Amino acid sequence: RALRLAGGRSQCEGRVEMEQEGAWGTVCDDDWDLADANVVCRQLQCGWATRVHGGGAFGRGSGPILRDEVGCEGHEEHLWDCPAALEHDCSHKEDAGVVCSEHQEWQLSGGRDACAGRVEVFFRGTWSTVCDSTWYELEASVLCRTLGCGEPLRRPSFGHTLPGRMLYQCEGQQPSLDRCLWTYNKSAPCHQSQAAGVVCNGTGH
């Protein structure tokens, strides 16, 4: 048996899919809640659940619907250890999904549009700023591309006004910043830094 998240922006976000007897299938969103989602996140080494989704939020899956009315208490080691109905009255438009704490997503705030402003990252259930100590053309380029915003034009600095701090160091053109080296809430590398910003040349989707 195996478990994965599909249709999300990282391996720690998406539609819950289980493998059973060689076939991948989905889980129905009836009674799908944080306790169930926490078991999924922990099993995938993705931390804990920050958001729970139903209604095929990450797209409709395919294959069998393997579980319905999942009733985890939250301490189970695997999703298949939880009580659940094996018979279901669901369709794939009710596929369950989850966002785990180790998933990272980004936004630019305070700029002229969604492609300019201060860099903010949602991680472990909270929004944080990014230290500009290692915020160079490469890091800015990775983010602009991830956001569908083209390439960076400028890298303005802002103040840190959010509780958390993230630091990124990319060594090449990665698909997203979480594939670069990153450290979270380590004070030394962020000492005397400002909050990173970027103005990309696109205007987003």
Side-chain angles (χ1 to χ4, degrees):
R1 285 174 169 175
L3 187 71
R4 69 184 180 195
L5 296 176
R9 292 161 291 184
S10 75
Q11 69 269 29
C12 292
E13 173 193 71
R15 179 178 61 252
V16 179
E17 296 193 345
M18 286 174 60
E19 186 189 25
Q20 193 168 296
E21 292 162 11
W24 284 95
T26 62
V27 174
C28 184
D29 64 11
D30 295 347
D31 291 339
W32 184 250
D33 61 19
L34 267 175
D36 308 321
N38 275 326
V39 171
V40 169
C41 292
R42 200 171 55 247
Q43 184 179 343
L44 293 173
Q45 296 179 318
C46 284
W48 64 89
T50 57
R51 298 182 199 144
V52 177
H53 291 282
F58 293 102
R60 297 181 185 192
S62 56
I65 294 169
L66 296 172
R67 293 287 187 280
D68 189 13
E69 293 170 25
V70 176
C72 303
E73 290 178 18
H75 58 74
E76 293 87 353
E77 205 171 321
H78 304 104
L79 184 62
W80 45 81
D81 298 335
C82 301
L86 302 183
E87 302 293 314
H88 68 84
D89 53 1
C90 305
S91 71
H92 281 299
K93 68 172 188 280
E94 296 170 81
D95 284 343
V98 62
V99 181
C100 302
S101 59
E102 297 303 293
H103 166 71
Q104 296 182 29
E105 63 189 72
W106 302 271
Q107 67 182 17
L108 298 177
S109 76
R112 54 158 205 257
D113 57 32
C115 290
R118 182 173 75 172
V119 182
E120 297 174 357
V121 53
F122 186 76
F123 179 63
R124 296 186 185 163
T126 186
W127 286 97
S128 298
T129 45
V130 173
C131 305
D132 67 359
S133 338
T134 56
W135 187 249
Y136 301 120
E137 189 73 14
L138 182 55
E139 288 77 16
S141 170
V142 169
L143 181 62
C144 287
R145 287 185 185 181
T146 302
L147 294 175
C149 288
E151 293 295 334
L153 296 171
R154 297 194 303 284
R155 301 192 308 278
S157 292
F158 295 84
H160 287 294
T161 57
L162 299 174
R165 304 268 188 284
M166 182 71 88
L167 186 85
Y168 293 105
Q169 287 174 281
C170 300
E171 294 180 345
Q173 194 55 251
Q174 299 292 341
S176 66
L177 288 172
D178 60 357
R179 304 292 176 87
C180 301
L181 296 169
W182 55 267
T183 51
Y184 182 63
N185 279 349
K186 298 276 194 301
S187 56
C190 286
H191 186 59
Q192 294 185 323
S193 72
Q194 285 192 282
V198 66
V199 178
C200 310
N201 66 7
T203 54
H205 311 305

